[in-house]
Amino acid sequence: MRLGKVAVLMGGRSAEREISLMSGRGVLKALRAKGVDAHAFDPARRDLAELKRAKFSRCFVALHGRGGEDGTLQGALELLGIPYTGSGVLASALAMDKVRSKHLFGAVGVTTPDFEVIRVVDDARAAADRLGYPLVLKPASQGSSVGMSKVFEASELAAAAKLALGFGDPAIVERCITGDEITVAVLQGEALPSIRIVTPRIFYDYKAKYETDTTQYFCPGTDHVKLEKRYRDIAMRAFEALGCAGWGRVDLMAGSDGVLQVLEVNTVPGMTSHSLVPMAAKAAGIDFAELCWRILETSFARANVLPAMGVAANDA
């Protein structure tokens, strides 16, 4: 009863719309199984102002990518005075912006792969001369590996740069780290067991994430207690460096040189059958329905902030 009427925000207009719909449907089913008065709400089909008119008490954000994960939705919900799950406006914006998040990682001593920002194809050639091959090219503000390529030689560079730049943003050229790909989920201030990802594809791309059953997952990602703690500690440092809250996921590379490097922080990770946060939660003894419930609980922390903001604005 304290949860009230809950909107599960899903779909949206980003390049990750289909994944968001899959995440949202799974969350909706799980919350209803827990007895929550939950309803689907697609901002691409309905105006956000309807949330207020329909008397929704809070929102479970299952929108991925631009317009849902980048702080714009969070800002709109703040103005409407509706509590929501996960990170706030600034943390969401920073996590979605790969360039600025990398600068912040560096400022707090979290290692991240060397990179350069590009705006035209010629920038990519100059970056490649400095960084060397192999390289990873990706848009600065997309998720789910959308627009991402791994480049091994100069003949592949122009096409990869055009793809990454095709989303209307600057892109980044990043030194490719060879080693284990690790991800660590965060839930209510604690790191869940790490996951090591092994894919037969060139890298853990969109198809490896959502369209194939050949990707292998090992959870926890290591049998070494000290190394597992190191994974979790570095993930929490990266998560907190951006001011993230509630829940999320941190992606890392464990290089062959032994150096752990943070790739990015995801503030609204996938919640599909192939998704990593549910997998890590299961290893920690938390089933999918309980995970959704606990994520929804993170909206209460924000509920305590919103009324105070409204009073301050009125007093001004």
Side-chain angles (χ1 to χ4, degrees):
M1 293 299 294
R2 287 184 62 211
L3 292 169
K5 187 178 178 182
V6 176
V8 179
L9 303 183
M10 65 177 86
R13 296 185 175 87
S14 80
E16 299 175 67
R17 173 177 173 79
E18 294 307 313
I19 302 302
S20 174
L21 287 170
M22 286 193 285
S23 290
R25 288 166 187 150
V27 169
L28 183 66
K29 182 178 179 181
L31 291 179
R32 285 177 172 173
K34 282 288 211 179
V36 177
D37 182 19
H39 305 260
F41 192 104
D42 185 350
R45 303 283 186 261
R46 303 170 67 182
D47 192 295
L48 286 176
E50 288 187 41
L51 290 168
K52 200 74 172 176
R53 291 194 292 269
K55 298 183 178 180
F56 282 101
S57 300
R58 64 196 65 251
C59 293
F60 189 116
V61 179
L63 288 162
H64 307 313
R66 284 176 138 183
E69 197 172 351
D70 59 359
T72 54
L73 171 74
Q74 288 74 13
L77 294 176
E78 297 269 1
L79 288 172
L80 289 169
I82 301 175
Y84 55 90
T85 54
S87 295
V89 178
L90 181 58
S92 298
L94 288 171
M96 197 68 184
D97 187 329
K98 294 177 175 62
V99 176
R100 285 166 180 79
S101 60
K102 279 174 163 288
H103 287 313
L104 281 170
F105 294 153
V108 298
V110 172
T111 306
T112 187
D114 197 9
F115 74 103
E116 289 198 12
V117 179
I118 65 169
R119 290 176 173 80
V120 295
V121 173
D122 283 344
D123 291 344
R125 296 189 179 100
D129 288 341
R130 187 178 80 82
L131 298 172
Y133 293 94
L135 295 166
V136 173
L137 281 79
K138 51 191 172 184
S141 300
Q142 295 289 333
S144 292
S145 300
V146 172
M148 182 174 167
S149 304
K150 192 171 182 180
V151 175
F152 294 90
E153 55 188 45
S155 62
E156 304 168 342
L157 188 63
K162 289 176 183 176
L163 176 63
L165 290 164
F167 293 86
D169 278 332
I172 65 172
V173 177
E174 186 177 74
R175 178 172 282 129
C176 182
I177 306 301
T178 301
D180 290 335
E181 183 153 1
I182 305 293
T183 192
V184 177
V186 177
L187 178 64
Q188 295 176 313
E190 295 184 5
L192 299 180
S194 70
I195 299 173
R196 180 166 55 90
I197 303 160
V198 178
T199 175
R201 297 183 62 78
I202 294 174
F203 67 97
Y204 189 49
D205 60 3
Y206 187 95
K207 285 185 179 293
K209 289 177 179 178
Y210 302 113
E211 298 177 0
T212 180
D213 292 322
T214 59
T215 303
Q216 295 179 286
Y217 303 95
F218 300 89
C219 185
T222 175
D223 294 330
H224 301 284
V225 175
K226 288 184 178 179
L227 184 56
E228 175 69 9
K229 183 178 184 301
R230 191 167 163 230
Y231 289 162
R232 298 195 198 189
D233 287 348
I234 290 176
M236 289 302 301
R237 283 177 62 197
F239 191 78
E240 292 167 357
L242 303 185
C244 296
W247 76 298
R249 197 189 76 230
V250 183
D251 298 336
L252 312 94
M253 289 297 299
S256 55
D257 57 1
V259 177
L260 276 175
Q261 305 210 38
V262 174
L263 301 178
E264 62 185 32
V265 175
N266 300 272
T267 55
V268 187
M271 292 286 281
T272 73
S273 60
H274 283 65
S275 293
L276 300 168
V277 175
M279 192 182 304
K282 183 178 180 180
I286 304 168
D287 66 23
F288 188 77
E290 180 66 18
L291 171 63
C292 293
W293 177 277
R294 289 181 61 174
I295 292 170
L296 186 57
E297 284 182 329
T298 69
S299 65
F300 279 96
R302 200 159 305 283
N304 295 328
V305 174
L306 289 168
M309 292 176 62
V311 169
N314 291 335
D315 288 348

